[in-house]
Amino acid sequence: MIDLKNKGLLHGGDYNPEQWLDRPDILAEDIRMMKKAGVNVVTLGVFSWSVLEPREGEYHFDWLQDIMDRLWENGIHTILATPSGAKPVWLDETYPEALRMDEWGRVRHHGVRHNHCPSSPAYRKKVEEMDTRLAEQFGNHPGLLLWHISNELGGSCYCPLCQKRFQTYLEKKFDGDIEKLNHAWWTTFWSHQYQRFDQVEPPFANGETSIMGLNLEWKRFTTWNMTDYMKSEIQTLRRLTPKIPVTTNFMKLYPGLDYRMMAKELDVISWDSYPRYHNDYESLYDTCMENAFDHAVMRGMSKGRPFLLMESVPGAVNWHAFNKMKRPRMHKLAALQAVACGSDSVQYFQWRKSRGSFEQYHGAVVDHLGRDDTRIFLETQETGEMLKKLERVSHSLVKPKAAVLFDWDNRWAIQDMKGLSQEKKQYEQTCMTMYRLLAELGVEAEIVSRDDSLEAYAFVAAPMLYLLGDGTAGRLADYVDKGGHLLATYLTGYVDKDTLCWLGGFPGDGLTELFGLYSEEIDSLYPGDKNYVKFDDESIGEVRDFAELLRVKDAEILGTFTEDYIKGLPAVTRKQRGTGAAWYVGARLDDASLKGLLEKICREAGLSADPLPSNVERHVREDDRFRYTFYLNYGSAPAAVKASGTNLLTGAQAEAKAVIPPMDGAVFAKSI
Ligand code: GAL
């Protein structure tokens, strides 16, 4: 298989020359400008179906061949997308089964994109024919680097074909025994028992939405079915071009698909990043740390390899509530952040703005102005130069010693559970907060899922692990028994994989033993309610949103509530097991006190917490010989940091300290 390792850091983006085939001058200009901007890769073919096959069976590949050849003659690689992200009109006309049905049972009309039925045999066949031809024609092209399956696979389809597949999927899952399903989904409640699998409908918006097990299983099925569809594309390409790796672009923490499942089928993980920079509700640092978390989610799925930033925007997108321009230096800093977090590419949507239609005002390297001296072009060019200086970093890895457990099944189950305060559940934000606070302490965290091995980590934070799948509790206990430090919070271990509550005390499935306590109640606080935790060192933390009434059997009490009916009762505990410890925090704490607790745990876990100056982010990538320390300063003042080695961006040497200017970054290389 092509080793992306030899390709350095990739720089480029989505390119749609098919929109400009009648403007050879523009196509020639594109290549000139790409070279000027230091572009070494473009993604072709996304949404190009109606040009590649304007009528069924009539293939027009010459333009693509010509462009790929010319790009390659100029040293620019191609990531070739299969065009299945949008359907040509003839396809929907001839094969209406390819049209999606929505959750209200309405068949969609032709149009827009990302809306095929993943079950449709006709659609799969048409895609297979297309992919076969693309692989046959371009599989040996020297410029071809990577296959890009479709684009941002997503959504779900409720059509009769999908319903049938869902029923077959359930039948297999529950061993053909409908009573197993009835028990797992607790269908006696409200008289919801099924007699046959073919009675089970998806959770239509105007139908059965009240069975938590059904809702969760539908989400799992949607992932399974979309992955199955994606695999059908992958199989065709792997069969014909086994040397070309495959990817598909993920969308941040997209809630509709469990990316962990899809990731298993891909050679390379890639994603599209569009943070709301410079907004008016949080600091730039906070915006960037959310993005760092997203990068870490991708890294966590990358099986020890770098991932790719497939899309980001030069300038502004056209779909945020406020499409604010990236301020000077932001673009370069965001690019540096991607590489710092473990990406081996910085790519854009899009190279050139389309002249008309839906995304005509979406940011691009080349504007309608068509000039190569715009602010955005010049900053892209500078980014290209920066990536060139960082070439040797490619293929090095970020190797965190701590982890935050973030799980799709769990987020789905929490989202759907009826109880607590709906809007304050904030599972994703809670995981991000853990990640950010650890980052502020100078501790890099990996984002892991419930099935991942925890062996490499001295500390694992598993906030709000409401759903415990088969074996999860055992794995956590095993981790602590082997010397790991585990932190759990309120709302841990309430339900099993089908969302049935554990009996005999939360956290269930044996975790009451591990933590030496059980949770008797969970209380939701109004925003105006006040409660606090007093720690054994006399420090006080503020409680927000949730507090549990804990009964401690055999754990050390580190903090107690100060108010209300839980006054004096335990809030934070620790139970030693061998050399490891199971920590529990039964309340949502304010950031400062949670950070204090994390610092204490990190120290005990042997992780040297080395707090960073405010507004500064740090990551370390390493290869066999070198350690590359990245610093990014999002603040408006210079920041003094600990650093030694050569700054790859300036060539300057650092002995022990360095100053990072505002809105700037540095990368220090030091031999190991
Ligand atoms: C992505 C998509 C691109 C483009 C971009 C706009 O989600 O893959 O095709 O639409 O958004 O920001």
Side-chain angles (χ1 to χ4, degrees), residues 578-647:
T579 51
W583 306 68
Y584 195 92
V585 47
R588 185 170 281 169
L589 293 176
D590 69 279
D591 283 5
S593 51
L594 180 57
K595 192 164 157 184
L597 179 64
L598 291 173
E599 188 168 7
K600 185 177 164 77
I601 304 176
C602 285
R603 250 199 328 270
E604 285 204 25
L607 294 167
S608 58
D610 176 17
L612 294 169
S614 54
N615 296 313
V616 171
E617 182 181 353
R618 178 179 67 200
H619 299 279
V620 179
R621 289 181 70 155
E622 10 179 309
D623 58 23
D624 294 344
R625 298 175 46 225
F626 284 90
R627 181 169 296 135
Y628 305 99
T629 305
F630 290 69
Y631 281 105
L632 300 114
N633 179 4
Y634 301 109
S636 51
V641 296
K642 290 183 191 161
S644 53
T646 314
N647 182 347

Side-chain angles (χ1 to χ4, degrees), residues 325-563:
M325 283 288 166
K326 276 177 171 163
R327 295 304 190 245
R329 309 195 69 80
M330 190 65 245
H331 186 63
K332 233 175 115 181
L333 209 50
L336 189 61
Q337 184 194 32
V339 178
C341 291
S343 170
D344 267 6
S345 77
V346 174
Q347 288 159 269
Y348 312 124
F349 181 86
Q350 51 192 334
W351 167 255
R352 178 182 282 278
K353 277 186 182 170
S354 62
R355 189 160 179 203
S357 206
F358 202 79
E359 293 183 324
Q360 67 193 130
Y361 300 114
H362 190 288
V365 181
V366 183
D367 198 79
H368 298 126
L369 261 173
R371 298 179 65 103
D372 62 4
D373 60 356
T374 58
R375 179 179 76 86
I376 285 167
F377 189 93
L378 294 176
E379 199 160 328
T380 305
Q381 187 179 353
E382 275 181 41
T383 303
E385 283 155 16
M386 174 182 79
L387 295 175
K388 203 93 209 101
K389 290 182 189 156
L390 295 179
E391 209 166 81
R392 58 186 274 197
V393 165
S394 83
H395 233 73
S396 59
L397 296 172
V398 180
K399 295 180 177 165
K401 298 269 180 299
V404 175
L405 198 155
F406 171 74
D407 191 74
W408 255 265
D409 263 10
N410 188 50
R411 73 191 285 217
W412 286 335
I414 290 179
Q415 184 57 36
D416 199 38
M417 74 168 301
K418 303 292 170 253
L420 306 181
S421 142
Q422 284 294 334
E423 63 180 74
K424 291 286 180 184
K425 287 180 192 165
Q426 301 173 339
Y427 172 59
E428 294 84 351
Q429 287 92 322
T430 305
C431 292
M432 279 176 210
T433 301
M434 290 277 180
Y435 173 87
R436 176 173 53 76
L437 296 177
L438 285 168
E440 287 172 14
L441 290 167
V443 174
E444 179 80 75
E446 197 65 300
I447 309 302
V448 296
S449 201
R450 65 183 188 282
D451 297 329
D452 287 331
S453 155
L454 303 177
E455 225 175 63
Y457 311 109
F459 169 43
V460 175
M464 299 173 74
L465 194 57
Y466 169 73
L467 180 147
L468 298 172
D470 285 347
T472 309
R475 261 195 300 280
L476 293 177
D478 196 44
Y479 168 71
V480 177
D481 284 340
K482 289 189 172 136
H485 285 255
L486 173 71
L487 172 66
T489 70
Y490 54 91
L491 205 69
T492 292
Y494 281 45
V495 297
D496 71 4
K497 65 175 188 318
D498 296 307
T499 71
L500 287 183
C501 284
W502 294 104
L503 299 180
F506 305 147
D509 204 16
L511 290 187
T512 49
E513 271 304 301
L514 180 68
F515 292 98
L517 52 73
Y518 64 90
S519 163
E520 192 173 306
E521 294 178 10
I522 184 163
D523 191 26
S524 294
L525 306 188
Y526 281 92
D529 289 337
K530 295 271 176 240
N531 206 337
Y532 302 89
V533 172
K534 186 169 180 194
F535 288 91
D536 44 8
D537 64 0
E538 299 294 306
S539 64
I540 301 280
E542 199 179 329
V543 173
R544 298 179 182 143
D545 306 333
F546 304 115
E548 283 184 331
L549 191 164
L550 299 178
R551 300 292 181 195
V552 171
K553 205 175 105 214
D554 54 353
E556 193 186 336
I557 296 168
L558 306 178
T560 48
F561 291 106
T562 66
E563 308 297 323

Side-chain angles (χ1 to χ4, degrees), residues 47 113 151-152 249 272 274 311 317 319 349 359 362:
F47 310 127
R113 60 174 183 171
N151 191 67
E152 294 189 337
N249 47 346
D272 303 342
Y274 295 106
E311 292 181 22
V317 297
W319 51 269
F349 181 86
E359 293 183 324
H362 190 288

